[in-house]
Amino acid sequence: MTEQTAVVLLELINLKSFVPQWTSASGESSISTEQVESAVLLANNKLLEIGIQQAEEKLLVTYTGGQLSSDDVDDSFSLRNQMPDIYNVLWDFCLAQDKIELDCRVFMNTSEFKSKAAIIKENKVQLVINAGTLIDSACLARSALPKSVNLMETSKDLMDYVGRDRYMLYDHYLTNPMPKYEIICLGGTFDQLHNGHKKLLTVAMHMCTKKLIIGVTGTEMLQKKKNRSMIQSLEERMGNVENFVHSMRTGITFDICELMDPWGPAIVLPEIQAIVVSSETIGGARMINEKRIEKNMKPLETMAVMRSNIHTLSSTFVRKHSKMSVLSNNL
């Protein structure tokens, strides 16, 4: 069990002081602005999750660096713009970790709000969490903190987001041109087909122009999965996926197949161009690309979709509440 600290200050990564660490599986180092911004958004979500895990009574959130000047107030990554989403993500993680009484406060990084030094002093902060100067050059260093305050750098926990293969975040492309690919793949268990699954499938359908390959986790691969006896049969899960995609999209073909291993067709078919994953499974896309490169195949473009409502948007939650509904109807 993670040892907790009463009062924690969490520094989110600031785009302006972010230090990219990309060493992609393909050896490419170039990266677009959209990909950098996507990486920072997902890494900050991971930081928020770590902050919730560590804080016992109070979590205070801000960005690295000093307070913004009046010229920087419209910065798209300022807390003025990100603050509402940050509170939503914090509540999501509080629900998931059964910490709904945790006192979370998000400080705007503008001159109207208290400085970081004042926040630390007035709240008697015991622990500062940040990405570390390897990832964000403006992070508070040990030497800048009072002796009574500990420092936790999380660079190792963030490397899947900021130090590995390039990817794009679908949620960040809402105002940008959406890339299109002829052949796309994605995979999952798709138990109790819920809105999270439907979001992934819809993103893939949106980006695909010719053929969408959907791998559904096979029975053998589920042997080590928790509550495997409660998971719907392979036939039912594949049928639900087939019904959903055919009810939604025309003009492309669908190949819905059983996944016998973690990679499936993605490491067999060189013609596949892109893969759609959730923000939690970016590491899986990297493993697939490493396998493809070993086989002299071109690595896949990776489109990640932000995982949201993690407490309620899950097969376990749907299964539990479906049972409760059945029980109440039988009373």
Side-chain angles (χ1 to χ4, degrees), residues 10-266:
L10 174 67
E11 287 191 301
L12 297 178
I13 299 169
N14 192 323
L15 185 64
K16 293 184 176 181
S17 49
F18 173 58
V19 183
Q21 301 292 315
W22 271 272
T23 53
S24 71
S26 60
E28 298 176 8
S29 57
S30 61
I31 184 166
S32 69
T33 300
E34 289 83 5
Q35 289 168 330
V36 171
E37 292 175 352
S38 295
V40 171
L41 283 168
L42 288 183
N44 278 340
N45 263 27
K46 183 63 179 179
L47 277 168
L48 291 170
E49 181 182 13
I50 293 170
I52 295 292
Q53 290 170 348
Q54 294 292 325
E56 187 175 9
E57 297 176 8
K58 188 184 292 185
L59 178 63
L60 313 168
V61 181
T62 185
Y63 269 150
T64 62
Q67 294 167 309
L68 292 174
S69 67
S70 58
D71 293 336
D72 293 325
V73 168
D74 291 326
D75 177 10
S76 63
F77 267 71
S78 71
L79 278 182
R80 190 188 73 169
N81 292 280
Q82 299 297 315
M83 178 269 294
D85 286 338
I86 291 171
Y87 270 118
N88 290 338
V89 172
L90 286 169
W91 180 243
D92 200 13
F93 284 131
C94 283
L95 286 172
Q97 297 181 36
D98 196 20
K99 285 189 170 184
I100 61 173
E101 295 182 359
L102 182 66
D103 183 357
C104 299
R105 305 183 185 189
V106 181
F107 289 82
M108 305 276 275
N109 55 332
T110 60
S111 56
E112 295 88 353
F113 286 78
K114 292 187 175 181
S115 67
K116 211 167 292 183
I119 295 170
I120 291 172
K121 182 178 179 180
E122 293 176 15
N123 291 277
K124 298 180 180 179
V125 170
Q126 299 158 294
L127 174 67
V128 170
I129 300 175
N130 58 37
T133 54
L134 175 69
I135 291 174
D136 188 331
S137 61
C139 282
L140 282 173
R142 170 68 267 175
S143 59
L145 296 172
K147 292 182 179 179
S148 60
V149 180
N150 294 317
L151 176 64
M152 177 181 174
E153 295 185 345
T154 61
S155 57
K156 289 184 179 179
D157 297 290
L158 304 180
M159 278 301 168
D160 266 346
Y161 305 110
V162 300
R164 305 200 189 281
D165 274 343
R166 302 174 301 158
Y167 58 87
M168 299 166 286
L169 181 62
Y170 180 87
D171 310 61
H172 189 59
Y173 269 82
L174 298 179
T175 58
N176 294 308
M178 178 59 57
K180 301 284 187 178
Y181 304 95
E182 287 190 352
I183 305 176
I184 295 176
C185 69
L186 77 158
T189 304
F190 298 108
D191 182 40
Q192 305 290 332
L193 192 72
H194 55 65
N195 286 357
H197 299 137
K198 293 172 185 176
K199 180 164 67 171
L200 275 178
L201 291 166
T202 303
V203 167
M205 288 188 284
H206 183 199
M207 296 172 56
C208 185
T209 62
K210 185 177 180 181
K211 183 178 184 180
L212 179 58
I213 302 170
I214 306 168
V216 180
T217 307
T219 306
E220 289 300 316
M221 279 190 64
L222 295 176
Q223 292 308 307
K224 294 182 179 180
K225 197 172 180 71
K226 187 178 178 180
N227 298 325
R228 64 181 181 276
S229 62
M230 302 173 70
I231 295 174
Q232 294 171 316
S233 69
L234 174 64
E235 292 74 19
E236 188 173 4
R237 290 181 284 119
M238 291 181 73
N240 289 339
V241 169
E242 182 175 13
N243 176 273
F244 176 75
V245 295
H246 280 288
S247 75
M248 296 285 289
R249 176 72 203 266
T250 61
I252 62 174
T253 59
F254 297 99
D255 181 1
I256 303 170
C257 58
E258 178 182 359
L259 284 180
M260 307 295 291
D261 56 51
W263 306 285

